Amino acid sequence: EDIIVSHSNKGKYVVRLKGGDPFIFGRGGEEAETLAKNNIPFEVIPGVSAGLGSAAYSGIPLTHRDYASGTIFFTGHAVKDENSMDWNAIVKSNMTLVIYMGAKNTTEISQRLLQNGMDEDMPVAIIQHATLPFQNIFESTLQKLPKEREKPEIKAPAIIIIGSVVSL
């Protein structure tokens, strides 16, 4: 943010390129706030978020009238703190879960969802390098998610999608 402000104050045009939507776990909101506070005019050109793009590119509908009426997007960083989210409400929602930056916390994700009543056989997809020609998809179940993550070929960046729609 300081670099953007510094160069803008020198009269330079600054272009901040991001893959995906800068307002979904991309710090775009913080950057826009900083620019606004410094009276620097800016324009945001949204992209397709990795959560949406990875699902569509993989053929996974995030909503489907027979399986899920909505989608919950959240970051995997928050799962270390058991009280950071209402896991019971998340499970009861029966919505598709799209987890950003969760590859390192698959054990906690799986535990929290299972402890709150999600079916251990709930389908899971781990999608690496979303929407790129070398995208990889690893399918599993909620119970097997922590073991799946131990495979050496599964690395971040990855999006995790959990829900019945993964089976489609």
Side-chain angles (χ1 to χ4, degrees):
E1 294 170 17
D2 292 339
I3 293 171
I4 295 171
V5 171
S6 170
H7 287 290
S8 295
N9 286 336
K10 292 177 185 173
K12 296 183 179 183
Y13 287 96
V14 178
V15 176
R16 174 79 160 100
L17 295 176
K18 294 181 126 4
D21 186 326
F23 287 171
I24 298 183
F25 306 119
R27 294 194 182 100
E30 293 93 328
E31 291 170 355
E33 277 184 303
T34 299
L35 294 169
K37 284 178 189 173
N38 287 279
N39 296 315
I40 298 170
F42 62 93
E43 178 182 7
V44 176
I45 301 170
V48 176
S49 174
L52 297 170
S54 64
Y57 200 69
S58 303
I60 300 171
L62 293 180
T63 62
H64 185 289
R65 78 180 71 192
D66 296 329
Y67 296 95
S69 62
T71 304
I72 299 174
F73 296 91
F74 62 93
T75 173
H77 292 307
V79 301
K80 290 283 189 182
D81 177 6
E82 186 176 342
N83 299 316
S84 66
M85 292 186 274
D86 186 343
W87 290 96
N88 193 307
I90 290 170
V91 171
K92 284 184 178 179
S93 75
N94 289 318
M95 292 191 191
T96 304
L97 307 180
V98 178
I99 306 165
Y100 291 69
M101 300 166 282
K104 291 182 181 175
N105 297 324
T106 55
T107 299
E108 290 84 358
I109 292 165
S110 180
Q111 285 175 348
R112 305 269 189 264
L113 294 171
L114 290 170
Q115 288 167 354
N116 284 279
M118 188 171 277
D119 184 347
E120 65 183 26
D121 293 322
M122 183 63 70
V124 173
I126 303 170
I127 304 171
Q128 279 183 287
H129 305 293
T131 72
L132 297 173
F134 46 91
Q135 172 176 296
N136 287 319
I137 305 168
F138 302 91
E139 292 188 44
S140 189
T141 64
L142 185 59
Q143 178 76 27
K144 296 176 185 172
L145 178 60
K147 280 280 189 213
E148 192 75 25
R149 174 58 183 99
E150 291 175 11
K151 292 180 178 177
E153 63 269 24
I154 298 178
K155 298 179 180 83
I159 295 285
I160 300 170
I161 301 176
I162 301 173
S164 300
V165 293
V166 172
S167 65
L168 300 174

